[in-house]
């Protein structure tokens, strides 16, 4: 399996663009709040959405993640309502989605919330 792509912000901090400025790439801005859950959710799906939204690290989930959070909430609700018929494939998919949101100890270190900016870093001036 191929190695995951290194985010542009990490490459910038490493100084990769100083050596190779032609490799600079811009990543889309995924700002904006996650928002309220869909109105058509059932009670179990609503509870799952709220658990995911409140359990994810701060500023990680944005409006761009609404569809993925919806899918994860439906899977989580399905697992809670009908665990006996919840397949291993669905469980693996749910675990992968929650991991992408930084909702496990190992994955939490891999995500950076949108609230972190260079202005928040007291060492940002050293990077310039």
């Amino acid at each position: 399996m191929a190695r995951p792509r290194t985010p542009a912000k990490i490459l910038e901090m490493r100084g990769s663009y100083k050596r190779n400025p032609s490799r600079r790439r811009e990543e889309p801005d995924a700002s904006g709040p996650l928002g309220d859950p869909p109105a058509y959710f059932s009670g179990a799906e609503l509870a799952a959405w709220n658990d995911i939204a409140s359990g994810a690290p701060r500023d990680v989930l944005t409006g761009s993640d609404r569809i993925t959070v919806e899918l994860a909430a439906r899977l989580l609700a399905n697992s809670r309502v009908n665990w006996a018929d919840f397949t291993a494939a669905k469980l693996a998919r749910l675990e992968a989605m929650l991991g992408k949101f930084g909702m496990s100890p190992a994955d939490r270190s891999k995500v950076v919330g949108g609230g972190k900016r260079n202005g928040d870093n007291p060492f940002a001036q050293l990077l310039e």
Side-chain angles (χ1 to χ4, degrees), residues 17-73:
Y17 298 140
K18 289 180 181 177
R19 283 175 267 165
N20 301 303
S22 63
R23 291 185 180 178
R24 182 178 303 274
R25 64 178 189 264
E26 293 297 321
E27 292 182 344
D29 182 23
S31 60
L34 178 62
D36 295 328
Y40 49 83
F41 263 10
S42 69
E45 292 168 340
L46 180 64
W49 173 284
N50 290 331
D51 286 346
I52 292 170
S54 65
R58 186 170 38 104
D59 296 330
V60 169
L61 298 177
T62 65
S64 300
D65 304 315
R66 286 185 60 80
I67 294 173
T68 309
V69 174
E70 179 180 345
L71 292 172

Side-chain angles (χ1 to χ4, degrees), residues 85-114:
D85 293 332
F86 199 70
T87 64
K90 288 180 181 178
L91 181 61
R93 187 68 213 137
L94 177 59
E95 184 180 19
M97 288 175 140
L98 295 177
K100 299 272 185 189
F101 301 154
M103 295 183 71
S104 73
D107 293 315
R108 218 173 342 272
S109 65
K110 298 176 188 174
V111 298
V112 177

Side-chain angles (χ1 to χ4, degrees), residues 118 121-128:
N118 276 346
N121 183 353
F123 302 104
Q125 71 274 7
L126 298 175
L127 296 173
E128 297 173 0

